[in-house]
Amino acid sequence: MDVELITERAEDGFWIFDDRFAITEDWHAELWLDDTDIIATYTRVWQTLRESAVFGADAQAIVAQARRSLSPR
């Protein structure tokens, strides 16, 4: 199973659908966006986050470190 971990904290979730619209959540509303420039911005953000993702042993090391930090000493 492939798991992607984003190494930077993403503040808001968003979804991109077929380059036609994006959905994002703010603290007060779910926003449906269909402006081409805005969708392009969200696509660039996703590409940047994807490039920072780690896989395999690197991802497992991050998960292990997080688990150790949550364990009572």
Side-chain angles (χ1 to χ4, degrees), residues 1-22:
M1 172 173 50
D2 291 333
V3 176
E4 295 181 26
L5 295 175
I6 306 290
T7 57
E8 297 294 324
R9 183 172 173 224
E11 294 295 323
D12 296 310
F14 63 90
W15 298 264
I16 302 170
F17 295 90
D18 298 329
D19 297 325
R20 293 179 299 137
F21 66 95

Side-chain angles (χ1 to χ4, degrees), residues 3 8-9 11 13 19 22 25-27 32 41 45 47-49 53 55-56 63 68 70:
V3 176
E8 297 294 324
R9 183 172 173 224
E11 294 295 323
D19 297 325
E25 295 178 359
D26 200 349
W27 65 273
W32 288 54
T41 298
V45 168
Q47 290 169 345
T48 299
L49 291 172
F55 303 88
V63 170
R68 283 191 303 275
L70 296 174

Side-chain angles (χ1 to χ4, degrees), residues 24-36:
T24 187
E25 295 178 359
D26 200 349
W27 65 273
H28 71 288
E30 180 178 271
L31 306 172
W32 288 54
L33 310 166
D34 61 1
D35 180 79
T36 304

